[in-house]
Amino acid sequence: MDLMTEIRQNARQLKKTIVLPEAMDSRMLKAASQAKNEGLANIVLLGNADEINKKAAGLDLEGITIINPEKSDKSSYYVDQLVEIRKKKGMTHEKAAELIKNPLYYGAMMVKLGDADGMVAGAVNTTGDVLRPALQIIKTAPGISVVSSCFIMQVLYKEFGHDGVLLFADCAVNPSPTAEQLASIAVTSANTAKSLIGMEPKVAMLSFSTKGSAQHELVDKVVEATKLAKEMAPDVTIDGEIQADAALVKEVGSLKCPGSSVAGKANVLVFPDLQAANIGYKLVQRLGKAEAIGPVCQGMAKPVNDLSRGCSVEDVVNVIAITAVQAQNL
């Protein structure tokens, strides 16, 4: 069975509530209707109901909840809670009242306070605009210092990863992570692999060096990140620093990294920086004709996912399902 089909099936069983703040985008409306009709989640759209229904002419929105942040009965409660959450940062009642009118902030408050299980946005707004309220309100998961992203890669050759499925991180958020951040990304990626894909993670901390074959400060960072990641998650199988071929190919792994529990068997690839990760996943996607599912945001206390502004309706539906499955363990 195709991985995305499995994720959608799981989402149907969970019946989670997902909020979509960008309700005036036609792709989001079509995706909301499709997700609702497929039973992937209970959908909440944020905005003016009359304007949304006019924009959605011809679409089936029956059973979808529409909330106008500017007129919601809960807005005053959300304002009070936002002031409480951000009081150390100087949040005033007046500023909170203005922010709550913004669907991205209203949606983040819904997730924070349990009125929704997750949020999906980014078809219209930038990554910064989507993640800012999430970071301010929902914040990172306990023990995790940084929000990151991953792509789930389905490659043609089943001998790689977990029956042809691998997770690449961080491909979209952190340009130059520190050793501490890289360790956090590794642990979070392992959690994503287990909870979302259902595979036992074998995490490779990638470098241009394998076990001291090269000396450089960039290698040192990966070595330190590997040490920290193992301390953070002693029950997770993690190894590094390791080159990509040693991580993926059994014969090369045995030669370059004998005795490693990851070499030749890696299914989670943690790249040393954003340039390498972004280039890497796109090369595999285009030259290897792999399916790239994502980006999937990870590390939040509750799931918020950022879409590409070039996303298709099918992309949005997939991310709604992914967000619903992420929510079951958060």
Side-chain angles (χ1 to χ4, degrees), residues 62-109:
E62 186 177 350
I64 292 176
T65 301
I66 300 175
I67 298 173
N68 187 343
E70 297 192 24
K71 296 183 178 180
S72 167
D73 292 340
K74 284 202 168 182
S75 288
S76 60
Y77 172 64
Y78 284 179
V79 168
D80 291 341
Q81 292 300 307
L82 180 54
V83 171
E84 184 65 24
I85 291 167
R86 301 285 293 166
K87 63 183 178 182
K88 291 182 180 178
K89 298 293 184 179
M91 180 64 67
T92 64
H93 192 275
E94 292 72 23
K95 186 174 181 180
E98 194 61 33
L99 286 174
I100 286 299
K101 296 176 184 177
N102 181 331
L104 292 171
Y105 275 85
Y106 190 97
M109 288 300 296

Side-chain angles (χ1 to χ4, degrees), residues 161-162 165-168 193 199-203 265-269:
H162 178 77
V165 176
L166 301 101
L167 190 147
F168 287 18
M199 67 186 187
E200 195 61 37
K202 295 185 183 299
V203 183
K265 297 174 280 190
N267 51 29
V268 176
L269 304 184

Side-chain angles (χ1 to χ4, degrees), residues 148-222:
S148 60
S149 72
C150 66
F151 273 86
I152 302 165
M153 307 297 294
Q154 285 191 283
V155 301
L156 298 178
Y157 304 101
K158 302 297 185 181
E159 65 266 30
F160 294 120
H162 178 77
D163 197 31
V165 176
L166 301 101
L167 190 147
F168 287 18
D170 168 15
C171 304
V173 178
N174 299 283
S176 185
T178 64
E180 291 78 10
Q181 290 172 330
L182 202 57
S184 188
I185 290 166
V187 172
T188 308
S189 299
N191 291 339
T192 298
K194 196 165 189 175
S195 63
L196 185 59
I197 306 171
M199 67 186 187
E200 195 61 37
K202 295 185 183 299
V203 183
M205 308 294 285
L206 297 183
S207 175
F208 61 85
S209 169
T210 297
K211 299 297 183 178
S213 65
Q215 304 295 317
H216 194 277
E217 62 184 19
L218 294 177
V219 176
D220 295 340
K221 182 178 82 167
V222 178

Side-chain angles (χ1 to χ4, degrees), residues 8-144:
R8 288 194 188 198
Q9 283 189 355
N10 289 341
R12 287 188 193 98
Q13 296 172 1
L14 295 169
K15 306 296 184 186
K16 296 296 183 180
T17 297
I18 306 300
V19 59
L20 308 179
E22 298 167 327
M24 290 304 291
D25 183 90
S26 60
R27 294 166 296 173
M28 300 300 285
L29 290 171
K30 290 175 183 176
S33 178
Q34 184 177 331
K36 183 266 302 181
N37 288 334
E38 288 190 27
L40 299 180
N42 301 312
I43 302 296
V44 178
L45 295 171
L46 298 183
N48 181 290
D50 292 338
E51 293 176 1
I52 290 170
N53 285 319
K54 184 177 179 181
K55 182 80 173 180
L59 294 175
D60 176 18
L61 297 188
E62 186 177 350
I64 292 176
T65 301
I66 300 175
I67 298 173
N68 187 343
E70 297 192 24
K71 296 183 178 180
S72 167
D73 292 340
K74 284 202 168 182
S75 288
S76 60
Y77 172 64
Y78 284 179
V79 168
D80 291 341
Q81 292 300 307
L82 180 54
V83 171
E84 184 65 24
I85 291 167
R86 301 285 293 166
K87 63 183 178 182
K88 291 182 180 178
K89 298 293 184 179
M91 180 64 67
T92 64
H93 192 275
E94 292 72 23
K95 186 174 181 180
E98 194 61 33
L99 286 174
I100 286 299
K101 296 176 184 177
N102 181 331
L104 292 171
Y105 275 85
Y106 190 97
M109 288 300 296
M110 287 187 70
V111 176
K112 173 70 174 180
L113 298 175
D115 293 326
D117 298 298
M119 182 170 80
V120 175
V124 176
N125 292 280
T126 66
T127 296
D129 287 340
V130 173
L131 293 185
R132 189 175 302 109
L135 287 169
Q136 291 176 355
I137 294 167
I138 300 169
K139 305 182 181 178
T140 57
I144 300 299

